[in-house]
């Protein structure tokens, strides 16, 4: 099993949410206790409820579905991935064409994969497509079964529990077809696992898009290219924020609300997932409380910030 780089182990989304929501306490002891308790809760919520597997809690999966009207700042990234996927290249010597999307948590890797997956040129170029969410442990049998189910589109298909049977069926289905497979959030991948998973792809024209926070994964899969996503601009973050904020938000008409919202968007540090969470968070508070909740509470002490960084380290 590979070791994730240190940068991937600290959730900046969680830190930003905590930064914007915690009330600093004048008493150091009680403040640390409050930070510890709230930071754990808020990070779980901010990260789409993808809780630690060791805690035995369910990880919320992703799907291929996407509202493209609410995606901003990823045009060049999408074009880069599309160009690689649409090149005609036959697989040889058992090698599979892998394109990786990397970046920190909350930067929009899944969203970019969804954009590419649902693009009309991709739908027309590939005979078969499959979307697989990895549940942290890269279970080869489960992933193989999901891919087979996706490419057969047969609800009545009886899938054997034996991996050999599944892989033989998958290889037969992929033969002579041009296929696209998305492996979303694949972070804990060992080479033996990957080598076993790719066996049914040998000899077929299969292209894989993998999203990951682990810089080792593209190397293990021998990706032909890795697109490392940069954070969004403040304007794009503001657009994401407004898409999820309350409908009654008078951003254009009310200068005071406009100033508050602009400050909130800047606190997202270019992370669309943080912008989405904070926009949704406004729905549970009255407009008179927005500035208190999101602006005043962001003025925390430097030692609290450092404490949050340590507490939210995975």
């Amino acid at each position: 099993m590979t070791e994730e780089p240190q940068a991937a182990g600290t959730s900046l989304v969680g830190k930003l949410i905590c930064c914007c929501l915690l009330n600093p306490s004048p008493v150091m002891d009680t403040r640390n206790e409050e930070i510890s308790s709230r930071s754990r809760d808020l990070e779980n919520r901010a990260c789409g409820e993808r809780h630690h597997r060791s805690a035995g809690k369910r990880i919320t999966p992703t799907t291929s579905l996407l509202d493209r009207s609410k995606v901003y700042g990823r045009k060049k990234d999408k074009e880069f991935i599309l160009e690689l996927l649409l090149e005609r290249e036959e697989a040889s010597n058992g090698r599979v064409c892998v394109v990786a999307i990397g970046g920190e948590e909350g930067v929009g890797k899944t969203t970019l994969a969804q954009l590419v997956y649902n693009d009309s040129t991709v739908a027309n170029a590939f005979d078969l497509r499959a979307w697989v969410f990895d549940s942290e442990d890269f279970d080869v049998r489960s992933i193989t079964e999901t891919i087979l189910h996706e490419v057969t589109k047969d609800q009545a298909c009886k899938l054997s529990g034996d991996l050999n049977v599944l892989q033989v069926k998958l290889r037969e289905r992929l033969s002579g077809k041009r296929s696209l497979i998305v492996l979303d959030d694949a972070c804990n991948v060992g080479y033996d696992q990957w080598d076993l998973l790719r066996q049914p792809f040998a000899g077929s024209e299969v292209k894989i898009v993998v999203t990951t926070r682990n810089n080792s994964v593209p190397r293990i899969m021998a990706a032909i290219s890795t697109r490392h996503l940069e954070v969004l601009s403040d304007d794009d973050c503001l657009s994401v924020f407004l898409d999820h904020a309350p409908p009654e938000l008078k951003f254009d008409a009310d200068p005071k609300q406009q100033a508050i919202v602009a400050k909130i968007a800047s606190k997202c540090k270019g992370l669309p997932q943080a912008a989405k969470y904070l926009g949704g968070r406004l729905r549970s508070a009255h407009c008179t409380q927005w500035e208190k909740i999101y602006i005043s509470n962001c003025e925390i002490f430097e030692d609290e910030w450092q404490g949050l960084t340590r507490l939210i380290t995975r």
Side-chain angles (χ1 to χ4, degrees):
M1 186 167 294
T2 59
E3 181 180 355
E4 293 191 24
Q6 185 175 0
T10 302
S11 171
L12 183 54
V13 177
K15 289 187 292 185
L16 290 170
I17 300 302
C18 294
C19 174
C20 293
L21 297 181
L22 292 178
N23 285 306
S25 168
V27 181
M28 192 66 177
D29 292 340
T30 56
R31 180 178 64 192
N32 288 339
E33 183 179 353
E34 181 181 10
I35 290 173
S36 178
S37 175
R38 293 192 183 185
S39 63
R40 285 192 299 268
D41 176 62
L42 290 171
E43 189 205 6
N44 285 337
R45 291 155 57 192
C47 298
E49 297 180 0
R50 295 183 185 181
H51 301 303
H52 296 295
R53 196 169 149 269
S54 59
K57 296 183 179 179
R58 182 180 179 181
I59 298 174
T60 303
T62 65
T63 74
S64 63
L65 301 181
L66 175 71
D67 183 353
R68 283 174 284 184
S69 67
K70 295 184 178 181
V71 180
Y72 306 90
R74 294 302 179 202
K75 181 179 179 180
K76 291 183 178 180
D77 297 308
K78 177 184 175 183
E79 291 174 349
F80 179 86
I81 301 297
L82 285 177
E83 183 177 353
L84 293 174
L85 294 181
L86 297 177
E87 291 178 351
R88 296 305 297 255
E89 179 182 348
E90 297 294 334
S92 61
N93 299 323
R95 296 188 62 181
V96 181
C97 179
V98 178
V99 178
I101 301 174
E104 62 185 294
E105 187 171 4
V107 78
K109 300 181 295 298
T110 297
T111 298
L112 177 58
Q114 291 167 329
L115 276 175
V116 170
Y117 189 88
N118 290 287
D119 187 86
S120 59
T121 58
V122 168
N124 294 328
F126 291 92
D127 303 306
L128 303 171
R129 291 180 297 159
W131 180 280
V132 183
F133 171 73
D134 179 36
S135 60
E136 292 285 335
D137 56 1
F138 207 77
D139 185 331
V140 175
R141 187 207 171 280
S142 176
I143 294 174
T144 301
E145 182 177 3
T146 300
I147 296 173
L148 180 57
H149 183 78
E150 289 264 306
V151 298
T152 57
K153 303 299 183 184
D154 184 0
Q155 297 295 332
C157 178
K158 294 183 179 180
L159 302 178
S160 167
D162 184 80
L163 178 60
N164 177 66
V165 175
L166 292 174
Q167 289 205 329
V168 170
K169 287 183 178 180
L170 180 57
R171 186 168 187 171
E172 291 173 351
R173 178 57 177 159
L174 297 179
S175 179
K177 305 290 186 180
R178 195 176 188 212
S179 307
L180 172 66
I181 298 170
V182 173
L183 300 176
D184 186 38
D185 201 25
C187 293
N188 296 321
V189 184
Y191 179 75
D192 288 345
Q193 294 168 301
W194 164 243
D195 188 51
L196 180 59
L197 178 69
R198 69 180 179 174
Q199 294 308 309
F201 310 149
S204 299
E205 190 175 358
V206 176
K207 294 199 174 184
I208 294 177
V209 173
V210 58
T211 71
T212 182
R213 290 170 282 119
N214 186 345
N215 293 333
S216 298
V217 170
R219 295 194 296 270
I220 290 172
M221 294 185 173
I224 62 171
S225 183
T226 300
R227 186 69 168 184
H228 290 283
L229 298 191
E230 301 294 334
V231 297
L232 297 180
S233 66
D234 283 350
D235 286 343
D236 285 334
C237 251
L238 177 59
S239 296
V240 175
F241 176 87
L242 292 174
D243 278 339
H244 297 278
E248 65 269 19
L249 180 65
K250 301 176 182 178
F251 178 73
D252 295 326
D254 189 330
K256 183 177 181 180
Q257 286 191 17
Q258 187 173 10
I260 294 173
V261 169
K263 289 180 181 179
I264 296 172
S266 68
K267 296 296 182 182
C268 295
K269 304 297 182 183
L271 298 177
Q273 191 172 353
K276 176 181 177 179
Y277 178 86
L278 292 175
R281 180 69 173 82
L282 280 184
R283 294 174 180 260
S284 63
H286 191 270
C287 62
T288 58
Q289 300 296 315
W290 290 350
E291 184 169 14
K292 178 181 178 181
I293 293 176
Y294 291 97
I295 303 302
S296 299
N297 292 343
C298 284
E299 298 173 357
I300 63 176
F301 300 112
E302 181 64 22
D303 60 334
E304 288 178 308
W305 176 265
Q306 295 299 328
L308 286 171
T309 301
R310 291 190 298 270
L311 287 168
I312 303 176
T313 298
R314 293 189 174 191

